[in-house]
Amino acid sequence: AFLKSPVGRLFYDFFGEQLFRSDLSISVGELGSLLDHSGPIGESEKYASEVFGSDMTMYVTNGTSTSNRVVHMSVTPPGGIEVVDRNCHKSIEHALTFNHSFPVYMLPTRNGLGIMGPIPRSRMDADFIRNAIAQSPLIIGEKKNSKPDIAVVTNSTYDGICYDAEAVEAVLGKSTDCIHFDEAWYGYARFNPIYSGRYAMRDSVPKGGPTVYATQSTHKLLAALSQASMIHMRAGRHP
């Protein structure tokens, strides 16, 4: 089909025949499956989990936008409450919309140079979040007494601000049992000591903390074809 039109021929000539011959679906059992994490794909996910320090790692296609939606639509029931970085990626807002969830926003700072972030600690405190839920016009009735299902922080921010991840978990963990670090542009952090303690999948994490997710765009600053992404998970209190 590619060879039957001028545009298709250009596409074919640029990428080469082998790319199209290797573009196979999960119908080839020997290659494994992203759907049930079997075969070579499953083994690769286990290896990635060891490399990135997670309890579980899953590969995702369609980018970290889809990874973010997977996390939030898996954790938050319809009509749930989420504590959201006001400068989150729009895929988080997509998940809120799809799931009919209610956001409570943490507003980051902006300095005189226009650099956004970080979120002040005061806006992560349990009292602030409790009051924000109570004052939300979207959340009514008994839901005002509900515990947030998840909190999400963009790390690093789009202006390159990195958080002390342990401190974030300690503070936000008083309000929710599940924290998501959107690390789409930050998948390299584990491999450079300059970022020690400032990423989600750290070693030597105290027991009894919240369950933590990190989503990373493998295709951005690691090594993968476009739209490859990973979800990392560290088990904690969240069931």
Side-chain angles (χ1 to χ4, degrees):
F2 285 105
L3 299 179
K4 291 183 181 296
S5 72
V7 173
R9 183 76 212 198
L10 290 171
F11 198 59
Y12 176 90
D13 289 343
F14 181 83
F15 286 104
E17 181 175 330
Q18 293 305 316
L19 177 68
F20 299 103
R21 290 193 178 276
S22 61
D23 184 20
L24 302 172
S25 74
I26 61 169
S27 60
V28 183
E30 295 88 342
L31 298 180
S33 172
L34 285 167
L35 300 181
D36 61 13
H37 311 283
S38 62
I41 289 176
E43 292 302 314
S44 179
E45 288 177 325
K46 291 176 184 177
Y47 181 68
S49 176
E50 295 177 11
V51 170
F52 286 90
S54 69
D55 290 328
M56 177 183 293
T57 290
M58 293 170 283
Y59 296 156
V60 178
T61 57
N62 293 322
T64 299
S65 292
T66 293
S67 290
N68 289 344
R69 288 188 285 264
V70 167
V71 169
H72 285 258
M73 296 181 73
S74 298
V75 171
T76 307
I81 298 173
E82 300 198 11
V83 181
V84 180
D85 183 343
R86 186 60 186 85
N87 287 350
C88 67
H89 189 264
K90 60 184 177 182
S91 57
I92 304 294
E93 297 174 349
H94 293 167
L96 288 165
T97 302
F98 293 155
N99 223 24
H100 302 286
S101 301
F102 300 109
V104 172
Y105 290 108
M106 300 177 289
L107 184 66
T109 58
R110 182 195 289 269
N111 69 15
L113 300 175
I115 295 175
M116 300 295 292
I119 301 167
R121 175 173 176 151
S122 61
R123 293 183 180 272
M124 298 184 183
D125 283 341
D127 287 343
F128 174 86
I129 292 172
R130 192 179 303 110
N131 289 335
I133 292 173
Q135 295 171 15
S136 172
L138 302 175
I139 303 171
I140 60 175
E142 288 299 316
K143 277 194 172 294
K144 286 191 177 291
N145 300 317
S146 298
K147 189 174 187 177
D149 297 286
I150 192 171
V152 57
V153 173
T154 308
N155 188 42
S156 68
T157 71
Y158 293 103
D159 285 331
I161 304 298
C162 309
Y163 287 92
D164 181 334
E166 183 175 350
V168 169
E169 291 173 24
V171 178
L172 283 177
K174 295 177 182 178
S175 298
T176 182
D177 292 331
C178 191
I179 297 174
H180 170 208
F181 289 93
D182 182 354
E183 296 182 346
W185 291 87
Y186 197 48
Y188 54 84
R190 182 175 174 83
F191 310 109
N192 190 323
I194 195 173
Y195 302 110
S196 178
R198 297 187 176 275
Y199 58 92
M201 296 296 123
R202 309 177 311 283
D203 296 325
S204 304
V205 177
K207 294 185 180 297
T211 295
V212 175
Y213 290 90
T215 50
Q216 296 174 348
S217 294
T218 321
H219 71 96
K220 285 192 174 103
L221 293 167
L222 296 171
L225 293 176
S226 183
Q227 299 302 300
S229 177
M230 290 187 287
I231 299 173
H232 306 295
M233 188 271 286
R234 187 179 76 237
R237 297 191 304 262
H238 190 269

